[in-house]
Amino acid sequence: MTTQAVNGNGADGAERWREREDEDSLFRQLRLTVRQGLEVDGDTPGGAWEALTQVGAWEFALPIDKDGLDLGQAVLAMACEEAGNAMQPVPLADTLLALDLLAGLGPLAPEGTDDTLDRVRAGELTLAVPGRLPDPRGAVPPGIAWKPDGDDGGVVLTGTGGPFAAGVDAGALLVLASGPDGPCVALVELPTPGVRVRPLRDHGGGAVAGAVFDEARIPAGAVLLRGLAAERALARVGLRAAVHQASLLAGITAAALTAVVSRIRGRQQFGQALVKHQGPRLRVAGLLARLDAVRWAVGDAARDLDEGRLTPGEAAGLIALTAETTLDVTRDAVHLHGASGLVRDGLVAGCYRRAAWEALRCGRPAQLWDTAAHTP
């Protein structure tokens, strides 16, 4: 597979590593449907979001009792990988996390939850998570703090969170905060007094933003979970967030390597294409092998998650491996492009710069490896 991708043998050439040979026909057709939707309409972040809505990505995630298709985590991981490969800065993993939490609230769901799900399903509401996603154990990252606001169940939020993909404007923020009674999860509609979405410099990696909470008073109806209930829910969705984010990173890595393979085929040196020189060819083959290994690991983890076998330690190891691979591969991709790899508007530079913050959204790799080593 790797040799064909580098040398261009076969009809599909460099696209070979984007397929898994063990995918059944239905799964492969779903992958092609998502990919074609993103390739046809996904030339802008808004177009990519519309394409994901049109192919039914939100129905993939929702359970049947919420009018969804409940196709499983392997399908959601595939959608995240294809979105990462499209390199449009849309908060896909964030919205999937929010859908997971909202759909699993059961009797704890506040009034209007079904209407919120309908708006997401229709593509009318984009949900973003400011700051890091919960780690595979469900721990809430630092940055945003909460405290009770009176006796009505409301909270006051203070702090900052970011970065998060902002190619499409978020209609609401799913805020993960820490406080005196454990974690708190709130769905904050925008605009809200005391909450400001602050655009950050994207440096060529796509639109990115952070959020600032200045004593923002959030009513009880917007507080989804607190305390022990929040801990349990975040422990469940933290595993899924790790797999989704790992899939997204695998897609970004594939996008960078697509650009590299195209570069070494078209670039001439000493009278022949770079792909004919042993040094660049072997280096790219090694990068493709690392991508293949990550994609197999992510696919297996998604299947284990569907069957209830994935542990927090395994999920932490997966996201650590994927994050390190993405950072290493995108850095080498810039080197293989030479000076053109530093061009801000170039694809490979965009992959490198976006990977610099996407790879840390579930935690730093060193911390995740430590979690993997000490967590069952």
Side-chain angles (χ1 to χ4, degrees), residues 316-330:
L318 172 73
I319 189 65
L321 171 67
T322 308
E324 287 185 347
T325 300
T326 300
L327 292 170
D328 291 346
V329 170
T330 54

Side-chain angles (χ1 to χ4, degrees), residues 235-297:
R236 176 176 60 85
V237 301
L239 286 175
R240 303 183 182 191
V243 173
H244 297 165
Q245 190 66 13
S247 302
L248 181 74
L249 291 171
I252 294 173
T253 307
L257 287 176
T258 298
V260 168
V261 171
S262 176
R263 173 72 174 180
I264 68 172
R265 284 179 182 171
R267 180 72 172 177
Q268 295 284 322
Q269 192 174 69
F270 303 117
Q272 58 182 350
L274 277 176
V275 74
K276 300 297 184 181
H277 295 275
Q278 187 178 45
R281 184 169 70 246
L282 292 179
R283 189 174 178 185
V284 173
L287 298 180
L288 292 172
R290 293 187 66 180
L291 173 59
D292 274 340
V294 163
R295 294 187 69 243
W296 279 97

Side-chain angles (χ1 to χ4, degrees), residues 299-311:
D300 290 343
R303 288 170 174 79
D304 286 346
L305 188 56
D306 279 329
E307 296 172 8
R309 296 197 307 262
L310 188 68
T311 67

